Amino acid sequence: MPEQLSFDLPSVPALGRADFMVAPSNAVAVAMIEAAPAGKLVLTGPEGSGKTHLAHVWATKAKAQIISSIDLNEADIPALAQRSIVVEDVPEIAGDADKQNALFHLHNLVLAEDKALLLTGRGAVRDWGITLPDLASRVAAAPSASLELPDDTLLAAILAKLFADKQLTPKRDLIPYLITRMDRSFAAARGLVDRLDTASLAQKRPISRVLAASLLDNEAKSAR
């Protein structure tokens, strides 16, 4: 029987997604999401850190609609404001006056209707590039939940889950090896598992530490 990996981590269910794993690097943000919805909340974090996943968790609790910030100027703002709303990727509208104005009006109408508002984006709010002063001040005043880069425990669990999603069972020594060699992000974990799966199929070799070492060494040489 293949060896199975097990990680004793609690989880939060998400819309149509596998459980969101909780660890010290994201526990505060998860707790704030679970405590919502009420008023407004900002969720920040690096690429692939789980912002969209947690936004779906929040949206389920709030019975909220999810919209991308880049679609705001084409939306019916008064209609949107009749329910709680998630606006994803707010930094994407930096420098776009029309979309920032639409978000400003949506912010005010949602709260006036006693609904809840969640805004997501990479990095600190001060770096989002919001140029509309009234909007910038309102976003800055919102409570902020921040997702951090994963620690070893969480990164190991994510790698195990990504392998399991592909019905792959890596050798027990592979994940600890990968953690010491890879970039510390969810996006990097996802990409690495995809590349290992592709290499395994192409070379007709099992996913192992030997295959991983060959892949990473070749990628390092190509990057020079």
Side-chain angles (χ1 to χ4, degrees):
M1 178 181 294
E3 292 182 343
Q4 299 295 320
L5 294 169
S6 176
F7 298 91
D8 186 18
L9 293 171
S11 60
V12 175
L15 273 177
R17 302 277 298 275
D19 289 348
F20 190 94
M21 298 174 183
V22 182
S25 57
N26 63 27
V28 172
V30 172
M32 293 180 71
I33 289 292
E34 287 185 309
K40 58 185 174 182
L41 179 66
V42 169
L43 178 63
T44 67
E47 178 184 1
S49 61
K51 293 187 298 298
T52 294
H53 195 151
L54 283 185
H56 278 83
V57 173
W58 187 93
T60 299
K61 293 173 66 69
K63 297 181 174 58
Q65 181 173 341
I66 299 175
I67 186 170
S68 171
S69 64
I70 62 175
D71 296 326
L72 283 172
N73 62 336
E74 299 177 0
D76 184 338
I77 298 301
L80 282 178
Q82 297 304 306
R83 61 188 300 186
S84 296
I85 293 291
V86 178
V87 181
E88 291 198 289
D89 302 319
V90 175
E92 294 297 317
I93 61 174
D96 190 314
D98 289 340
K99 291 174 184 177
Q100 290 185 42
N101 193 56
L103 179 54
F104 174 68
H105 289 298
L106 178 63
H107 169 284
N108 292 344
L109 287 173
V110 166
L111 298 183
E113 293 288 341
D114 200 27
K115 304 299 183 183
L117 176 67
L118 177 67
L119 307 175
T120 76
R122 297 185 198 175
V125 170
R126 64 177 178 273
D127 299 324
W128 280 8
I130 298 174
T131 53
L132 182 64
D134 287 341
L135 176 61
S137 64
R138 284 162 173 75
V139 174
S144 181
S146 178
L147 293 167
E148 307 297 336
L149 290 174
D151 55 25
D152 285 356
T153 301
L154 181 56
L155 194 57
I158 291 296
L159 285 166
K161 178 189 177 302
L162 290 168
F163 281 121
D165 286 347
K166 292 178 176 293
Q167 300 183 329
L168 301 171
T169 304
K171 296 292 186 181
R172 189 173 292 274
D173 64 346
L174 176 60
I175 288 178
Y177 172 76
L178 293 177
I179 289 172
T180 66
R181 298 284 303 273
M182 63 182 288
D183 291 338
R184 304 192 64 81
S185 75
F186 290 80
R190 202 171 288 122
L192 181 54
V193 170
D194 286 344
R195 297 196 305 278
L196 282 169
D197 187 25
T198 299
S200 173
L201 291 171
Q203 300 177 34
K204 297 181 171 55
R205 296 169 61 187
I207 292 181
S208 64
R209 180 170 171 167
V210 173
L211 178 65
S214 174
L215 175 71
L216 291 172
D217 288 344
N218 287 337
E219 289 179 348
K221 291 175 183 176
S222 298
R224 290 173 189 166

